[in-house]
Amino acid sequence: QVRLVESGGGLVQAGGSLRLSCAASGSISRINAMGWYRQAPGKQRELVATITVGGITNYAESVKGRFTISNISRDNAKNTVYLQMNSLKPEDTAVYYCYARTFVSEYWGQGTQVTVSS
């Protein structure tokens, strides 16, 4: 089992920045990728960015050039990944969910709200 805990959401004005963090604990040696998805009201959950343990990244087109996902760091029995979000837009408003994948399972955090005011 893998447990994911997110932090760093909040309210920010358009053009501002936020950094989300996700700490994974439990069977972290089995994780081969981590990342972030988001879900806005009335919309489906969508990919934001993911990164493999080998450092291969994947970004949604809508966030390329504005968001950066960090490498997965492993320390103190936890895997941690960060999402630096710059030049935020009102359409980035959503609940952001941390995601972790092993070869057999997927895990999700409880989500953190990001609200961008215009």
Side-chain angles (χ1 to χ4, degrees):
Q1 284 285 350
V2 174
R3 180 172 180 255
L4 303 174
V5 178
E6 304 113 328
S7 61
L11 173 64
V12 65
Q13 288 189 332
S17 298
L18 282 174
R19 189 177 80 153
L20 304 183
S21 64
C22 175
S25 58
S27 301
I28 60 172
S29 63
R30 300 182 179 184
I31 292 173
N32 55 45
M34 293 182 69
W36 297 89
Y37 283 69
R38 68 186 181 187
Q39 188 166 19
K43 295 188 177 181
Q44 290 188 328
R45 191 173 295 189
E46 63 177 6
L47 169 85
V48 177
T50 59
I51 187 165
T52 68
V53 293
I56 299 172
T57 58
N58 184 32
Y59 291 92
E61 284 296 325
S62 60
V63 307
K64 281 184 180 178
R66 300 188 298 122
F67 291 12
T68 303
I69 190 167
S70 70
N71 287 328
I72 300 171
S73 64
R74 184 169 293 173
D75 191 25
N76 294 329
K78 290 185 178 179
N79 278 6
T80 304
V81 66
Y82 301 94
L83 183 69
Q84 179 66 42
M85 305 186 293
N86 298 328
S87 302
L88 282 160
K89 304 175 181 180
E91 51 263 44
D92 294 318
T93 296
V95 178
Y96 284 69
Y97 295 92
C98 182
Y99 161 84
R101 184 189 73 204
T102 68
F103 285 111
V104 296
S105 297
E106 295 181 341
Y107 299 89
W108 297 92
Q110 291 192 328
T112 185
Q113 177 70 45
V114 171
T115 302
V116 184
S117 63
S118 57

